[in-house]
Amino acid sequence: MLKRRKAFVLLLLSTFAASQLAGIAGTTAFAAPASTATAKTAATVTEVSTLTGLSAIKLGTTLSVKLSHVGIQSQTGGNILTYTLTYTNNAGSSVNLVNYFSKIVTTGGSIIKGIPVTADSTTKKIAAKQSTSITYYANIGTAASVKGLKVNMYGWNFSSDNYEQRIGTFTVPSNYSLSALKGEIRKVELSSIPVNTKAESVQIYKYNGKVYAKVGLSLTNLGTKVLTDPGYSLYLKSSGGSTFTLTLDDSSSEYKIQPQEKKTLYYMTEIPSYMNVTKMTLQIAKLDEGLKLYLPVSSYSLPAAGTADFTVAAGYTKKISIDSNIVDMKLADASVHADNGNAVWSYQLTLKNAGTKAVTLPAYELAVKSAEGYTFPVTTTAFSSLTLKPLEEKLIELTASVPLELGQDTLELQMVAPAGSSTSTTTSSTSSTSSNGSSESSSSSSKVILPVAYFKIPYSLAGNTHISTENSITNSYGTFGVTLNSLQRLPWGSEDIVQAKVSISNHSSKTITLPALTGVLKVDQTDLSSSSQLYMESTSTVLAPGASMQVSVLARVPYTLDFSQAQIILQETSGTSTTQFLSLGTTDGLSSGITPLAAGESFKITSTGKKASVKERSTLVYSGTSNNLIYSEVEMNSEETRQTDLSRLYGQFKTADGQYFEATAVQSESSTSPAGKTLVTFWANIPAAVDTNGLQLYVSQGIADGKLTSAGTAATAYVNTSALTLAPVVPAPASNLTSVSLYPYTLAISNSTGTITSGTTSLALAFNYNLSRDTTYQMGAFDHKLILHITDPYGQYFEKTLSLGTDLAVGTYGSYTTTITNSLFKNLSGGTYKLTLYDEFQGQRRELGGQVYSIDVVTKAASTTDTGTTAAAGNGSTEASGS
């Protein structure tokens, strides 16, 4: 044993002798010349962040060592120093490191032996012709600087009192910076992958009485594998020495960097409001599971901190980073109008993915904030699962209501990250004692909810739309030319209907499919949404480039309501929320009349599947004592090529002095064949004093729930009104009954006979007739009655109601008989009777014609019993009583 120890000592001594000069060089390599030291005291010291200027120390003829890295990580139980020694073996065989060790000499004079970290603790030899780096650690207490720190290299020397022989010393330069300098790129290994790292930015956020720091760190993957989160810890260190745990901001939640890809990740933490934010550093540390210690990986001097300004000036774009993708946000348009004491705002927010990959936006929370400090939420589902493809642009429509007493020219649209969603950040911190003995700390783990942008809202009142003037409107579906074609106020019973007709043209270069729309009308401060409805001329909602479509928005208003301004709103409804599609406001006067067509002129119905031409056929006046009945027949000629249900028409009679009388319409409920004709009748009772000269018939298409009404469906409004100029007549009765007309029937009585037997009380009447019906038109119910009025020789009359087509059958050579009875007839020896025909409709009559016929008296045959004779009626005959 003694021989073996002596041999080992001789070996060491020979090694020391061979390397003495190298050992001296290693010891003195860091002593600065006097002239250099003097210059440094006279000028600002330039910091360095690498130890490449340090010379290597030769441990033997073939083995050398170099100090390549030094770091410090603050710990509660004392700061942990790590240093990395790189050994180079130039020999042809491996070298055992058991003969060498190192110690730290702090600036305070403490000597601490370095211990390999867990990952390097098993490295005992340096292979031939190889270089190997080994990292050591030591607890250096409260020391926070390495400037002037020494790393002594030792070998065993059993001739020494403690068997240790110092071979050389590395002295950390006084101008050495533990942290990478500002703007410097530092190469580190993360999960055994080489990565270039750089501290890019620091932003200070002040929100809701708290202060947050956001640090940007760029990483460039120099390896050949995908870099994922290595699980290291990051800290923000203040100039006072306090550290704050950083957490990955959710906008950088995808920690996945492809080979050769560069990505900037953002980390956040809450800091005290009083903390000095100059000269801060970013530290990366990893947990040594074996040592249960966090060891430093790298440190960076951070650039000057900037205070985040969320305000976005009107018309400017805000660039938002989401998963390292840039999304451009801009408040493109804002308009406002007054409604019931509130300013109702409409906003258009444009979003564009300026990145190279698809990005899903968080469900941002939106609100409008006034300068007085009031906040009004903006409800929208537009951000629900909103994903933008690269270069895709999306326009979002928003609305808000703000009381008019607040300043409308200083409002902001605030966009805030949603709580607990992908843009809120979990932060926590550790506290440590600063170099001056004070303690700085941040709050415990919590969600950081930060604003994204405060868009300044440009104040401009909603423009006044003029009738027949096209306005350009852009929304999320495209760009449209919108024209208010007409704005009318027309009667509806005891109310009025306000009707706006709007054309929408596709000014985009692509085909657009419009959403399911609803319409709302507002007049002055009155919201008419409860009775508003929208009618679309076409059932197709697809608009090719340059194509247009017509829509009508209408609502009922009280007859007595006066107003000066109208607003027409089209909106898209989804569930319980609505999104404005377009809005038009106008102060142009409402038209309460329609330019009438010339007498006999027709108008067109252009609704899809219901095309037809409409014109007056005839208008009759049934004269009465206190009221006259106006009866108008209107023919509707189908212009469809298929059998179809034509529009259900609604009518009103308008007099020359502006009075309106709602008409009752009678229309066939059957479908009309191609090129078929339908006769629609309209009638109304009007005071007898009303002049019928200049009478017009307003004909419209009835609608309910935004659709044209069908048979059996009551209309709740109407659209597409046209005015037919009528030519009402009171036809003169025919002077005979050889041809009388009760359309669609024509009755011709060729002859009539009246026969009575002398001394009796019954007069038998008969006539022969021809009855024809015009089948040109399809008609509704025929509610006319044919009244047969019989005047006897004494001036007394008898009446009989005849049903055309039943009592009088359609055809030729028909006959009809009846009997009238009067006690005066016993003495009748001859004379005449008169047959008069009346058209009775809704209780009013008009005379069709009349004719006088002679009575034949037949002498009664002799009989033993003369009880009187009653003339027998022929087929279908009846008896009529006198009056």
Side-chain angles (χ1 to χ4, degrees):
M1 180 68 181
L2 181 60
K3 290 181 179 180
R4 185 178 297 173
R5 179 176 293 180
K6 286 183 177 179
F8 182 64
V9 170
L10 289 174
L11 176 62
L12 284 176
L13 290 176
S14 64
T15 302
F16 291 151
S19 62
Q20 185 178 11
L21 292 177
I24 295 173
T27 304
T28 60
F30 309 108
S35 59
T36 304
T38 304
K40 286 185 177 181
T41 59
T44 302
V45 176
T46 301
E47 287 190 320
V48 295
S49 61
T50 65
L51 297 173
T52 55
L54 299 182
S55 300
I57 296 176
K58 294 189 69 66
L59 300 178
T61 55
T62 62
L63 183 65
S64 63
V65 65
K66 187 173 177 62
L67 180 65
S68 57
H69 177 71
V70 178
I72 291 179
Q73 179 62 37
S74 300
Q75 304 278 329
T76 304
N79 296 337
I80 301 300
L81 171 79
T82 60
Y83 58 95
T84 301
L85 296 176
T86 301
Y87 298 92
T88 301
N89 178 15
N90 293 320
S93 59
S94 62
V95 175
N96 198 328
L97 291 179
V98 72
N99 300 322
Y100 307 102
F101 57 93
S102 59
K103 293 182 179 181
I104 300 299
V105 182
T106 68
T107 55
S110 300
I111 301 175
I112 309 164
K113 185 177 181 179
I115 302 172
V117 299
T118 301
D120 296 337
S121 62
T122 59
T123 304
K124 305 298 183 182
K125 294 181 179 181
I126 307 300
K129 304 297 182 179
Q130 295 292 320
S131 291
T132 301
S133 294
I134 299 177
T135 299
Y136 303 84
Y137 79 95
N139 189 325
I140 58 174
T142 59
S145 174
V146 297
K147 294 178 179 180
L149 180 140
K150 298 179 184 299
V151 179
N152 290 335
M153 298 301 302
Y154 292 89
W156 294 112
N157 184 353
F158 295 105
S159 299
S160 302
D161 293 336
N162 58 357
Y163 304 115
E164 297 177 357
Q165 173 69 48
R166 184 169 66 88
I167 302 173
T169 299
F170 295 106
T171 302
V172 178
S174 60
N175 65 338
Y176 177 72
S177 171
L178 281 169
S179 303
L181 304 181
K182 293 179 181 178
E184 179 185 350
I185 296 175
R186 174 169 284 184
K187 185 177 181 180
V188 299
E189 280 197 359
L190 303 177
S191 298
S192 301
I193 297 176
V195 179
N196 275 346
T197 59
K198 179 184 175 184
E200 297 285 354
S201 62
V202 182
Q203 284 286 315
I204 304 299
Y205 293 81
K206 297 179 180 180
Y207 182 63
N208 280 349
K210 295 184 177 182
V211 180
Y212 305 93
K214 183 176 183 179
V215 179
L217 176 69
S218 67
L219 300 96
T220 304
N221 184 353
L222 303 177
T224 58
K225 297 188 299 182
V226 175
L227 174 64
T228 56
D229 191 349
Y232 293 172
S233 298
L234 280 80
Y235 303 92
L236 176 68
K237 186 175 182 179
S238 72
S239 59
S242 297
T243 57
F244 303 86
T245 301
L246 290 162
T247 55
L248 191 66
D249 181 70
D250 281 352
S251 65
S252 305
S253 57
E254 188 181 7
Y255 197 132
K256 187 177 181 181
I257 306 173
Q258 301 293 335
Q260 310 308 313
E261 181 186 9
K262 180 180 180 181
K263 180 181 285 188
T264 299
L265 302 179
Y266 293 92
Y267 297 83
M268 304 242 353
T269 188
E270 182 181 348
I271 60 176
S273 59
Y274 53 80
M275 191 180 93
N276 186 348
V277 295
T278 60
K279 297 183 179 179
M280 295 189 296
T281 56
L282 168 65
Q283 296 180 330
I284 303 177
K286 66 177 179 179
L287 178 65
D288 188 314
E289 294 287 354
L291 301 174
K292 304 302 180 184
L293 292 173
Y294 281 94
L295 304 178
V297 174
S298 187
S299 180
Y300 308 85
S301 296
L302 292 172
T307 300
D309 185 5
F310 305 116
T311 302
V312 182
Y316 283 77
T317 299
K318 176 75 171 182
K319 293 185 178 295
I320 305 296
S321 177
I322 302 176
D323 288 338
S324 299
N325 240 36
I326 297 298
V327 176
D328 293 337
M329 298 185 177
K330 181 180 179 181
L331 186 61
D333 184 54
S335 60
V336 62
H337 69 273
D339 185 13
N340 291 329
N342 291 313
V344 179
W345 283 89
S346 298
Y347 309 113
Q348 289 185 334
L349 184 67
T350 60
L351 311 171
K352 182 178 181 180
N353 182 2
T356 57
K357 63 181 182 178
V359 61
T360 299
L361 277 71
Y364 293 117
E365 296 175 1
L366 302 171
V368 173
K369 187 173 184 180
S370 70
E372 295 85 352
Y374 297 97
T375 301
F376 303 91
V378 177
T379 303
T380 180
T381 58
F383 289 102
S384 298
S385 303
L386 175 58
T387 299
L388 296 177
K389 294 178 289 189
L391 302 181
E392 182 180 4
E393 188 169 350
K394 179 84 171 177
L395 187 147
I396 295 176
E397 302 277 354
L398 305 169
T399 59
S401 182
V402 180
L404 283 172
E405 64 252 33
L406 300 178
Q408 304 297 317
D409 56 347
T410 55
L411 298 176
E412 288 181 340
L413 176 64
Q414 297 187 339
M415 177 182 287
V416 180
S421 75
S422 60
T423 53
S424 59
T425 303
T426 303
T427 66
S428 61
S429 70
T430 60
S431 63
S432 62
T433 304
S434 62
S435 58
N436 59 11
S438 64
S439 177
E440 301 176 22
S441 65
S442 70
S443 63
S444 59
S445 295
S446 61
K447 284 286 183 182
V448 177
I449 302 172
L450 292 177
V452 175
Y454 294 159
F455 295 99
K456 288 291 185 182
I457 299 174
Y459 179 63
S460 60
L461 290 171
N464 187 42
T465 300
H466 297 289
I467 293 175
S468 300
T469 300
E470 186 177 72
N471 300 270
S472 180
I473 292 178
T474 300
N475 57 31
S476 57
Y477 290 90
T479 299
F480 302 91
V482 181
T483 303
L484 178 60
N485 296 322
S486 64
L487 186 64
Q488 295 176 320
R489 180 172 185 169
L490 299 171
W492 173 264
S494 60
E495 297 179 296
D496 281 351
I497 285 181
V498 177
Q499 182 180 131
K501 184 173 287 188
V502 178
S503 64
I504 303 173
S505 301
N506 180 6
H507 282 189
S508 303
S509 58
K510 61 181 181 179
T511 298
I512 296 173
T513 300
L514 298 180
L517 296 174
T518 56
V520 173
L521 263 178
K522 296 182 179 181
V523 292
D524 287 348
Q525 301 298 311
T526 304
D527 188 341
L528 306 177
S529 57
S530 61
S531 66
S532 295
Q533 54 182 310
L534 178 142
Y535 167 71
M536 303 179 71
E537 289 287 339
S538 174
T539 57
S540 174
T541 58
V542 177
L543 282 181
S548 62
M549 67 181 304
Q550 307 290 323
V551 300
S552 295
V553 182
L554 55 157
R556 298 192 301 273
V557 298
Y559 168 68
T560 56
L561 179 66
D562 291 326
F563 55 90
S564 59
Q565 190 264 351
Q567 185 184 13
I568 304 102
I569 301 171
L570 300 187
Q571 57 192 18
E572 177 185 2
T573 302
S574 176
T576 58
S577 63
T578 57
T579 302
Q580 182 172 293
F581 182 81
L582 65 84
S583 176
L584 300 174
T586 183
T587 57
D588 286 6
L590 280 78
S591 170
S592 58
I594 298 172
T595 302
L597 300 170
E601 189 175 351
S602 63
F603 68 87
K604 299 285 188 180
I605 291 176
T606 59
S607 302
T608 303
K610 299 180 183 295
K611 294 182 177 64
S613 63
V614 180
K615 68 176 182 178
E616 177 198 21
R617 181 184 178 276
S618 67
T619 300
L620 305 176
V621 177
Y622 290 74
S623 299
T625 304
S626 58
N627 290 301
N628 292 333
L629 186 143
I630 307 298
Y631 178 86
S632 187
E633 294 176 341
V634 172
E635 63 179 53
M636 180 163 53
N637 302 322
S638 176
E639 295 184 352
E640 294 290 339
T641 58
R642 297 289 188 275
Q643 186 154 318
T644 186
D645 292 326
L646 294 178
S647 293
R648 309 298 295 178
L649 300 185
Y650 171 81
Q652 297 175 89
F653 291 106
K654 181 188 178 185
T655 62
D657 59 358
Q659 297 184 69
Y660 292 88
F661 298 90
E662 186 171 12
T664 298
V666 179
Q667 184 174 349
S668 171
E669 296 183 358
S670 301
S671 298
T672 303
S673 60
K677 298 175 180 288
T678 293
L679 194 69
V680 184
T681 60
F682 298 93
W683 63 269
N685 282 303
I686 64 175
V690 173
D691 188 358
T692 58
N693 291 322
L695 192 66
Q696 297 172 11
L697 177 61
Y698 278 25
V699 180
S700 314
Q701 294 170 265
I703 64 169
D705 298 325
K707 298 179 180 179
L708 295 174
T709 52
S710 57
T713 302
T716 57
Y718 54 83
V719 294
N720 301 332
T721 304
S722 295
L724 296 176
T725 298
L726 303 179
V729 295
V730 182
S735 59
N736 55 57
L737 300 180
T738 56
S739 179
V740 293
S741 177
L742 179 54
Y743 194 82
Y745 296 96
T746 300
L747 176 65
I749 296 178
S750 57
N751 60 75
S752 178
T753 59
T755 305
I756 187 171
T757 301
S758 61
T760 64
T761 59
S762 296
L763 175 63
L765 302 177
F767 60 79
N768 297 321
Y769 67 91
N770 294 329
L771 180 65
S772 63
R773 176 171 180 169
D774 188 345
T775 57
T776 302
Y777 299 103
Q778 188 173 287
M779 297 179 63
F782 184 76
D783 293 329
H784 296 263
K785 297 176 182 178
L786 179 67
I787 306 299
L788 174 61
H789 185 99
I790 306 169
T791 307
D792 68 12
Y794 300 102
Q796 298 185 72
Y797 67 88
F798 306 81
E799 286 191 348
K800 174 63 180 176
T801 300
L802 301 178
S803 176
L804 294 175
T806 303
D807 295 326
L808 300 182
V810 174
T812 58
Y813 309 114
S815 64
Y816 180 83
T817 61
T818 187
T819 300
I820 60 175
T821 302
N822 191 334
S823 60
L824 296 177
F825 291 170
K826 282 185 177 184
N827 301 318
L828 190 63
S829 60
T832 61
Y833 63 94
K834 183 177 182 181
L835 298 182
T836 307
L837 295 178
Y838 289 93
D839 169 18
E840 182 178 284
F841 184 79
Q842 301 298 324
Q844 300 279 28
R845 290 184 179 183
R846 67 181 180 93
E847 185 179 346
L848 299 176
Q851 191 168 343
V852 175
Y853 300 93
S854 298
I855 298 175
D856 293 331
V857 179
V858 178
T859 302
K860 181 173 64 172
S863 176
T864 57
T865 303
D866 187 1
T867 58
T869 302
T870 300
N875 292 337
S877 66
T878 61
E879 292 188 359
S881 58
S883 61

